[in-house]
């Protein structure tokens, strides 16, 4: 049952990992950070990634049919943004209390493995709260 | 925004003080100059977040207080006894800490006091630098203003408006709206949902910006009395020739 810092260190063990954070997407606050920020500083990066995560979580275009997952929050599991130099994975953390938290990983495009990172991020997000 | 932050907090952080900083709307607990806990009557506590949020039964929380409260190790006990995962405790506690700090550090004219050596029964969880807490509180104030700049909405009962047909409301806002009955304030809704008060303020301001809840009208000051008429006799003499020309023009148009 690792805490935020241990989880972030596990995330950074992934090949090509440049920076990671646990972010609250309602407030845009970084609860924990490691490595380097992708956007100037960690606070700005957290606020900006939170804005993207919130939109994905709230917009109807991404919400599955409520009949399949009645009112399950958040409806989105993860977001992937690819750039010419890197990947960003934002993995939503499911908790049994009311929260709005995701794990953000910034991955180098050449040395990172997107598929592997996505699977590992899922298991780390689950262990964070289990 | 910097002026709004208690200068005393900056000094206490510099001198690595341990104790409790008490302001008008809440308290910050410091250990070695770092913020380890915060409480405010305006923000649900970590127990509200865990119990109302459905994570812990009330009895489980009370047992933790009874067994570890006197040792000031309640947080640690919740994890060691298997009731919570480390990550859950940290997420929940940081949520409550930044929430209460937001209200505690709100600009106020009230006094600020510090009592050295006082510690909180929750015990060590995840200390945060005082500078980060102060900066985040200011950022949150700006965030609310950017969404819908009507701060009166934060403390007034939330009154729903007739929804526009076919409009989809995001799930988290929908749950806030379902508790808006014209009586509950955003704080009461936050407690009922087991959610930080600030997070509920964000949703209420978004709902108001979208016209889904009323924005309370600020009582306007009574209109200023019209300027008194100058005393009789101070008027300039009427322009007789102008009046004549006006009369003539009016008669011509009849």
């Amino acid at each position: 049952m690792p805490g935020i810092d241990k989880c972030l260190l596990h995330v950074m063990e992934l090949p090509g990992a440049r920076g990671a954070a646990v972010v609250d997407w309602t407030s845009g606050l970084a609860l924990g950070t490691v490595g380097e920020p992708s956007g100037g500083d960690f606070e700005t990066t957290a606020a900006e990634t939170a804005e993207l995560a919130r939109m994905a979580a709230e917009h109807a275009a991404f919400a599955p049919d409520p009949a399949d997952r009645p009112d399950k929050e958040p409806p989105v599991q993860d977001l992937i943004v690819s750039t010419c130099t890197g990947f960003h994975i934002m993995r939503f953390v499911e908790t049994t209390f009311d929260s709005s938290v995701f794990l953000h990983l910034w991955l180098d495009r050449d040395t990172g493995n997107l598929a592997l990172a996505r699977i590992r991020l899922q298991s780390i997000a689950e262990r964070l709260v289990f | 925004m910097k002026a709004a932050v208690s200068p005393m907090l900056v000094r206490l952080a510099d001198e690595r003080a341990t104790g409790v900083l008490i302001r008008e709307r809440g308290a910050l607990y410091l250990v070695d100059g770092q913020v380890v806990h915060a409480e405010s009557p305006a923000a649900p506590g970590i127990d509200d977040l865990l119990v109302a949020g459905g994570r812990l039964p009330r009895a489980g929380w009370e047992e933790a207080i009874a067994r570890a409260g006197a040792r000031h190790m309640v947080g640690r006990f919740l994890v060691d006894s298997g009731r919570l995962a480390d990550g859950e405790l940290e997420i929940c506690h940081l949520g409550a800490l930044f929430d209460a700090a937001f209200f505690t550090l709100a600009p106020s004219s009230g006094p600020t006091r510090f009592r050295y050596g006082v510690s909180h029964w929750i015990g060590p969880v995840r200390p945060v630098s005082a500078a980060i807490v102060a900066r985040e509180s200011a950022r949150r104030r700006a965030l609310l203003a950017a969404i819908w700049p009507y701060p009166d909405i934060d403390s007034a009962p939330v009154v729903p408006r007739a929804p526009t047909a076919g409009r989809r409301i995001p799930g988290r806002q929908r749950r806030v709206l379902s508790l808006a009955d014209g009586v509950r304030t955003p704080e009461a809704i936050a407690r009922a949902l087991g959610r930080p008060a600030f997070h509920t303020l964000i949703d209420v301001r978004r709902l108001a910006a979208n016209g889904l809840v009323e924005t309370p009208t600020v009582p306007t000051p009574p209109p200023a009395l019209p300027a008194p008429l100058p005393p009789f006799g101070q008027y300039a003499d009427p322009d007789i020739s102008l009046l004549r020309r006006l009369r003539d023009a009016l008669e011509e148009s009849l």
Side-chain angles (χ1 to χ4, degrees):
Chain A
M1 293 194 292
I4 291 172
D5 285 334
K6 260 192 205 149
C7 271
L8 287 173
L9 291 177
H10 285 314
V11 172
M12 289 304 281
E13 285 165 6
L14 279 159
R18 298 190 62 180
V22 173
V23 180
D24 174 73
W25 53 266
T26 306
S27 62
L29 169 72
L31 303 181
T33 59
V34 68
E36 41 179 335
S38 59
D41 61 81
F42 278 115
E43 283 170 49
T44 312
T45 303
E48 289 176 0
T49 52
E51 192 58 19
L52 181 62
R54 184 180 73 79
M55 286 188 168
E58 289 190 346
H59 281 315
F62 307 113
D65 191 336
D68 298 335
R69 280 181 73 124
D71 225 18
K72 184 91 174 162
E73 286 284 338
V76 178
Q77 293 181 329
D78 58 5
L79 287 172
I80 297 168
V81 175
S82 38
T83 72
C84 52
T85 56
F87 297 112
H88 297 265
I89 311 175
M90 281 145 271
R91 173 82 210 184
F92 288 87
V93 178
E94 266 186 51
T95 56
T96 44
F97 55 96
D98 192 291
S99 74
S100 53
V101 170
F102 67 91
L103 260 170
H104 170 217
L105 166 63
W106 179 30
L107 211 55
D108 182 79
R109 178 116 192 178
D110 293 329
T111 52
N113 179 333
L114 181 59
L116 172 72
R118 195 169 165 248
I119 293 167
R120 287 288 299 282
L121 219 51
Q122 176 184 352
S123 70
I124 291 171
E126 283 165 3
R127 269 188 303 162
L128 175 62
V129 292
F130 183 70
Chain B
M1 246 10 208
K2 265 197 181 125
V5 172
S6 162
M8 196 192 261
L9 179 60
V10 176
R11 182 169 57 75
L12 292 166
D14 285 346
E15 71 179 52
R16 301 171 58 85
T18 294
V20 59
L21 178 84
I22 303 161
R23 300 191 84 216
E24 195 176 353
R25 298 189 68 193
L28 293 189
Y29 288 82
L30 307 184
V31 170
D32 292 334
Q34 290 195 301
V35 182
V36 292
H37 191 66
E39 280 178 343
S40 165
I46 183 174
D47 53 330
D48 294 314
L49 302 185
L50 289 169
V51 175
R55 179 60 187 86
L56 269 190
R58 176 61 67 183
W61 172 262
E62 279 164 4
E63 198 203 336
I65 297 280
R67 297 198 34 199
R71 289 183 284 131
H72 290 202
M73 291 292 274
V74 171
R76 201 65 253 152
F77 179 83
L78 286 167
V79 172
D80 291 346
S81 61
R83 286 171 170 80
L84 284 183
D86 267 309
E88 286 180 302
L89 174 68
E90 290 177 358
I91 291 170
C92 225
H93 182 254
L94 286 172
L97 185 158
F98 278 97
D99 198 33
F102 169 74
F103 295 101
T104 304
L105 295 178
S108 99
S109 52
T112 301
R113 285 175 293 138
F114 189 74
R115 288 170 60 198
Y116 283 90
V118 176
S119 66
H120 194 273
W121 45 256
I122 192 82
V125 179
R126 202 170 196 283
V128 191
S129 101
I132 288 180
V133 171
R135 216 160 45 230
E136 174 65 11
S137 297
R139 194 186 67 82
R140 289 182 173 206
R141 231 163 292 289
L143 186 58
L144 287 178
I147 293 170
W148 191 240
Y150 298 91
D152 291 292
I153 207 169
D154 296 351
S155 47
V158 187
V159 182
R161 296 179 68 189
T164 320
R167 175 181 270 175
R168 189 190 167 275
I169 305 165
R172 293 179 64 79
Q173 286 179 31
R174 206 162 51 235
R175 248 161 285 144
V176 170
L177 195 57
S178 70
L179 292 175
D181 56 1
V183 178
R184 290 190 186 95
T185 58
E187 183 210 323
I189 293 177
R191 284 184 197 282
L193 290 174
R195 234 182 237 187
F198 172 78
H199 289 48
T200 312
L201 293 184
I202 289 259
D203 279 337
V204 170
R205 292 233 195 170
R206 286 214 164 94
L207 286 165
N210 286 322
L212 292 161
V213 303
E214 300 281 358
T215 301
T217 44
V218 187
T220 45
L225 291 171
L229 293 169
F232 186 75
Q234 284 188 8
Y235 291 105
D237 283 332
D239 186 342
I240 301 293
S241 68
L242 174 67
L243 289 173
R244 284 216 177 99
R245 276 190 284 136
L246 267 173
R247 185 196 62 194
D248 294 344
L250 285 167
E251 280 177 355
E252 266 173 35
S253 65
L254 281 173

